[in-house]
Amino acid sequence: MYQVVPGGAGGTITDVIPKQKHTKDTRSLVGAGVIGLILVIAAVTAWCYYIASLRKAELLKTQLLDLNKDGYIIRNQGGSIVFKMDFRSGTLDLDSCSKEGELLSCDRTTDRKLKFFIITVRPKDPVQCYRVRWEELVPDIPVEHAMTYEFGHWYGGAVTANQHWPISISGQQAPKPFVTNDIYSNRNEFGGILESYWLSSNATAIKINNSVPFHLGWNDTEKTMYFQARYNDSSFKPNPGEAPVAELSYRVCVGSDVTSIHKYMVRRYFNKPYKVPAVDMFRHPIWSTWALHKNDIDQQKLLMYAANISKYNFNCSHLELDDRYTRHYGDYEFDPIKFPNASAMFSKLESYRFLVSLWIHPFVNYESENFHTCVEKGFFVREPTGRLPALVRWWNGIGGILDFTNPEARDWFASQLRSLRTKYGVSSFKFDAGETNYLPWKFSTKTPIRDPSFFTRRYTEMAIPYNDRAELRSGYQSQNISCFFRPIDRDSVWGYELGLKSLIPTVLTISILGYQFILPDMIGGNGYLNHTSGIRALPDRELYIRWLELSAFMPSMQFSIPPWEYDNEVVEIAQKYTALHESIVAPRVLELASEVLHTGDPIVRPLWWIATSDETAYKIDSQFLIGDDLMVAPVLEPGKQERDIYLPAGHWRSYKGERFNIEKPLHLTDYPVDLDEIAYFVWVK
């Protein structure tokens, strides 16, 4: 059929268009074609999305770290996950992320702007490090990351009242300021020696930057530690003129084994001592008046104490005259009633070749004449407005606490110490306290400080002129003070809470934090009445002997309650172990001490230091090494004259002369150790 239609000016145009009738089969073919086209388009679209997702996945991966919107994971060279961190303060908007070289950055969460980056750093093979920073742009928003700790055993952080090795986490704790505290008085807080550094058995380490207003919490159900940065409701403060904008920044490093990664972290991020303290501090015991006499000390008792040390043929690094030799706390002169002729006393002690150090602290109580001087000259830490001095309560009363950020206050305090040295020939000082819990919750200092623990650092600096024989019990970034650090007072008990069993975990923790010259407190504990037996406030005899044996293998020994308070057998055991310490332990410790200046490596080491592939070694908290070649296994249980001993693979000779040439670790079950013995093994070549 044809159809004629109107044409143009030249006449008509005839189109020949056959009209066809579409069949059912034809329509089916058309429909199939349309569906096919749709499938092709969908496949192409899916391929494009797949390619884009691959590119995004590659974008969010840097070396062994994989980033996602809720956190990141790090794998080791073998592909196993060794570190996992979750973001608790926001969800990253991954579309805001970009990658340029080793820098991966994002500038938004799903609801706000921020500055976030991860930089890969390859300092040396096989160590790989990642610098992580999350910075808020709006004041008073905390930053919180949650680290999963189930991938290994963890060590470091801080000393605690109930010390375990590795770290034992129980219960739930909202993030709280990670600052120094007196854990004898505040047993649920972080201790007086701390660093924001943790080390894992899977060769992973994390170091929080010192500029962070750092708060630490945990949850044992979730197996997480909370790393939080904040200024609101906190003792941390921003710098003057700065908004309280939180920033959490840290470094995570992964290595081939736990020992090598720790060595790298210590060399890279820790201060190191610049000198070794006096040799006699390592060779001979310190004798303190504290546990024996408490604050009931006087001239006659001190002279008698010295006479007995000589009578029983003990050596002495120095005598430590503890609390209380002054009339008032904050005085720097001897109480004329208790010490009627201090100059003659010092002369007599010097003639007997006794050096004397004095107990000192940062407080000036209001009844001291020096209190008024310090108020008038502005030497005290002040309340937040800075107009008035802040009164603080400490274990010996109420007074002001010297502001060691104030150069004039430092000079005044230093002049008091120099005067004691000049007038009496005082050899050094025992610097007590220094923890931040003795500062008011809100305070001001002459030089503003962001981190309250920086006050601890400033206080420890006062020990530098006396570091040959000085003693500190608090420390923060203080490794280079180069003196002995002492854990907080121990109770005269066997257990983990400030007792005998806490000594090895505490010393190992302090060592991992970079403090290698360690004084493990007084043999037998402090002899407080609620933790002793009998009317003389003596520690249990067996406890005292086992404590003495363990102390003989520490970098330094310290007596207070003397062995002659018990019986002749205890005196003989004490003589045996002070001689052993001088002849066997001290020479090796001094050799290692000189190496510390360059390496920062521990003197007292955990067993995993030489057995990095042995899971059992990571959990042993009752044995330790001095260097790599002297292994010590004390008895720490009452009524026991045997113990199980883990012996790493190698060539060992016991103190009894037995030889163990073993290719695999060996467990010695019920190894006999008499009351006057401590098990130790020497590596033989």
Side-chain angles (χ1 to χ4, degrees):
M1 185 175 183
Y2 302 91
Q3 184 177 23
V4 178
V5 296
T12 61
I13 297 176
T14 302
D15 288 336
V16 183
I17 304 176
K19 285 198 173 183
Q20 299 180 3
K21 187 174 182 180
H22 295 287
T23 65
K24 183 176 182 182
D25 291 340
T26 302
R27 290 196 297 271
S28 298
L29 288 172
V30 171
V34 171
I35 292 172
L37 179 61
I38 292 172
L39 290 174
V40 170
I41 293 171
V44 171
T45 302
W47 176 256
C48 291
Y49 275 114
Y50 174 69
I51 295 299
S53 66
L54 287 178
R55 288 174 178 168
K56 176 63 73 174
E58 186 63 28
L59 168 68
L60 300 179
K61 180 179 177 65
T62 173
Q63 299 300 322
L64 302 174
L65 183 148
D66 295 337
L67 176 69
N68 61 65
K69 62 184 177 63
D70 298 314
Y72 62 90
I73 60 171
I74 300 175
R75 304 176 189 273
N76 61 17
Q77 295 289 347
S80 300
I81 296 175
V82 293
F83 189 84
K84 183 175 184 289
M85 187 75 86
D86 294 328
F87 304 144
R88 295 296 178 92
S89 47
T91 301
L92 288 180
D93 178 357
L94 298 183
D95 290 330
S96 75
C97 300
S98 61
K99 186 178 180 183
E100 183 176 344
E102 302 291 359
L103 172 64
L104 198 166
S105 61
C106 308
D107 57 22
R108 285 193 60 84
T109 66
T110 53
D111 63 357
R112 66 187 184 276
K113 292 183 177 181
L114 85 161
K115 292 180 181 178
F116 172 83
F117 69 72
I118 298 176
I119 298 178
T120 303
V121 182
R122 291 189 291 274
K124 69 172 188 175
D125 191 56
V127 175
Q128 184 122 315
C129 295
Y130 304 91
R131 290 175 54 202
V132 182
R133 176 174 174 178
W134 180 304
E135 181 182 354
E136 291 291 345
L137 303 179
V138 178
D140 294 327
I141 296 179
V143 182
E144 185 174 310
H145 293 181
M147 183 190 78
T148 301
Y149 61 76
E150 64 181 350
F151 295 112
H153 304 291
W154 286 88
Y155 315 90
V159 296
T160 58
N162 206 320
Q163 196 86 51
H164 291 275
W165 180 272
I167 294 171
S168 176
I169 294 177
S170 61
Q172 291 81 43
Q173 172 63 55
K176 60 183 179 180
F178 190 71
V179 295
T180 59
N181 286 275
D182 175 351
I183 52 172
Y184 197 87
S185 302
N186 306 280
R187 299 205 173 190
N188 293 321
E189 300 298 329
F190 307 115
I193 299 174
L194 55 71
E195 303 290 335
S196 52
Y197 168 73
W198 287 267
L199 175 70
S200 170
S201 59
N202 61 19
T204 306
I206 180 168
K207 176 69 176 70
I208 310 298
N209 288 357
N210 295 332
S211 61
V212 172
F214 183 52
H215 297 66
L216 179 66
W218 56 84
N219 186 315
D220 66 345
T221 302
E222 298 178 354
K223 306 297 182 187
T224 54
M225 294 170 64
Y226 304 134
F227 297 158
Q228 187 188 80
R230 76 168 193 262
Y231 289 111
N232 58 314
D233 189 30
S234 173
S235 53
F236 287 88
K237 295 176 288 189
N239 288 327
E242 292 184 358
V245 176
E247 169 202 316
L248 181 60
S249 54
Y250 53 89
R251 289 166 171 80
V252 181
C253 294
V254 181
S256 58
D257 64 78
V258 62
T259 301
S260 63
I261 193 63
H262 178 67
K263 286 185 174 184
Y264 168 76
M265 297 297 286
V266 168
R267 286 157 176 73
R268 180 68 179 82
Y269 298 117
F270 284 7
N271 293 324
K272 295 172 189 62
Y274 67 90
K275 61 176 286 190
V276 176
V279 170
D280 280 352
M281 285 278 288
F282 296 91
R283 287 180 175 166
H284 304 316
I286 301 161
W287 296 79
S288 169
T289 62
W290 171 247
L292 179 63
H293 293 296
K294 304 299 188 291
N295 56 15
D296 185 25
I297 185 66
D298 58 34
Q299 182 170 322
Q300 182 180 358
K301 290 176 180 176
L302 182 62
L303 291 172
M304 180 60 70
Y305 193 44
N308 281 329
I309 294 170
S310 298
K311 173 183 175 182
Y312 288 98
N313 297 313
F314 286 100
N315 288 319
C316 176
S317 166
H318 59 270
L319 284 172
E320 195 171 77
L321 177 54
D322 212 293
D323 184 10
R324 163 179 186 180
Y325 57 90
T326 62
R327 288 183 62 204
H328 305 296
Y329 295 107
D331 293 351
Y332 296 94
E333 187 51 84
F334 282 85
D335 182 339
I337 296 176
K338 299 177 74 174
F339 295 86
N341 196 337
S343 295
M345 178 187 74
F346 273 88
S347 296
K348 188 171 186 178
L349 290 170
E350 184 181 6
S351 70
Y352 294 154
R353 302 190 176 219
F354 281 100
L355 299 177
V356 180
S357 69
L358 298 180
W359 175 75
I360 206 73
H361 53 80
F363 308 102
V364 181
N365 281 12
Y366 64 86
E367 63 267 21
S368 170
E369 290 184 4
N370 286 325
F371 182 85
H372 306 289
T373 300
C374 294
V375 169
E376 291 173 0
K377 296 189 176 183
F379 290 166
F380 288 140
V381 172
R382 306 177 80 78
E383 45 79 40
T385 69
R387 292 193 296 266
L388 296 172
L391 291 180
V392 299
R393 182 182 296 277
W394 63 297
W395 67 90
N396 276 326
I398 297 174
I401 184 168
L402 291 167
D403 179 2
F404 293 101
T405 75
N406 182 345
E408 293 181 356
R410 292 165 65 91
D411 289 346
W412 179 83
F413 182 73
S415 71
Q416 305 302 316
L417 305 190
R418 284 195 303 270
S419 177
L420 286 166
R421 168 173 273 187
T422 301
K423 187 173 182 179
Y424 299 107
V426 172
S427 66
S428 190
F429 297 91
K430 171 186 176 179
F431 292 81
D432 215 350
E435 300 91 350
T436 66
N437 64 289
Y438 292 111
L439 296 170
W441 174 247
K442 298 292 183 181
F443 64 91
S444 64
T445 50
K446 182 76 172 181
T447 302
I449 54 177
R450 298 177 60 175
D451 182 346
S453 292
F454 194 67
F455 176 87
T456 299
R457 163 68 197 191
R458 282 286 182 246
Y459 176 57
T460 62
E461 290 169 356
M462 304 309 298
I464 292 175
Y466 309 97
N467 56 13
D468 266 358
R469 297 176 188 272
E471 172 188 326
L472 284 161
R473 84 170 196 191
S474 57
Y476 174 66
Q477 302 176 37
S478 303
Q479 298 92 340
N480 58 352
I481 302 301
S482 306
C483 72
F484 272 86
F485 285 81
R486 172 183 66 88
I488 197 72
D489 300 13
R490 303 288 112 174
D491 284 328
S492 299
V493 296
W494 290 89
Y496 284 103
E497 185 174 333
L498 297 179
L500 178 60
K501 283 187 180 179
S502 73
L503 271 186
I504 296 174
T506 299
V507 169
L508 290 174
T509 298
I510 295 173
S511 295
I512 288 296
L513 298 180
Y515 298 85
Q516 309 309 342
F517 308 138
I518 302 171
L519 181 63
D521 202 37
M522 300 169 193
I523 291 168
N526 281 261
Y528 298 126
L529 281 172
N530 56 329
H531 294 300
T532 54
S533 59
I535 59 173
R536 292 193 299 162
L538 286 178
D540 173 74
R541 182 179 184 274
E542 181 188 7
L543 173 69
Y544 184 89
I545 292 171
R546 293 304 191 190
W547 208 306
L548 164 64
E549 293 163 352
L550 172 56
S551 293
F553 285 86
M554 290 292 169
S556 186
M557 300 179 71
Q558 185 178 44
F559 285 99
S560 182
I561 295 172
W564 54 84
E565 288 289 307
Y566 292 92
D567 51 52
N568 288 335
E569 182 184 11
V570 176
V571 171
E572 290 172 1
I573 293 172
Q575 290 169 338
K576 169 185 174 180
Y577 281 101
T578 53
L580 182 148
H581 176 84
E582 182 177 357
S583 62
I584 295 178
V585 179
R588 184 64 179 120
V589 169
L590 282 164
E591 182 182 353
L592 294 165
S594 64
E595 297 175 7
V596 167
L597 308 185
H598 309 290
T599 67
D601 290 346
I603 293 173
V604 178
R605 300 172 181 176
L607 263 61
W608 51 250
W609 193 266
I610 60 170
T612 58
S613 61
D614 188 350
E615 174 67 18
T616 301
Y618 288 111
K619 297 179 285 187
I620 292 178
D621 67 352
S622 63
Q623 298 175 224
F624 61 94
L625 294 163
I626 297 173
D628 292 345
D629 47 18
L630 177 57
M631 195 273 288
V632 187
V635 173
L636 304 175
E637 297 279 354
K640 295 286 187 179
Q641 295 200 23
E642 67 282 323
R643 65 155 293 165
D644 295 344
I645 295 175
Y646 167 90
L647 204 58
H651 307 283
W652 300 95
R653 184 181 68 245
S654 79
Y655 69 105
K656 299 177 181 180
E658 306 152 309
R659 284 185 173 267
F660 299 89
N661 298 311
I662 49 178
E663 296 181 358
K664 295 181 179 180
L666 178 66
H667 291 267
L668 303 175
T669 305
D670 291 333
Y671 187 83
V673 186
D674 291 341
L675 181 60
D676 65 342
E677 294 180 330
I678 180 172
Y680 64 93
F681 299 77
V682 178
W683 181 275
V684 290
K685 297 179 182 179

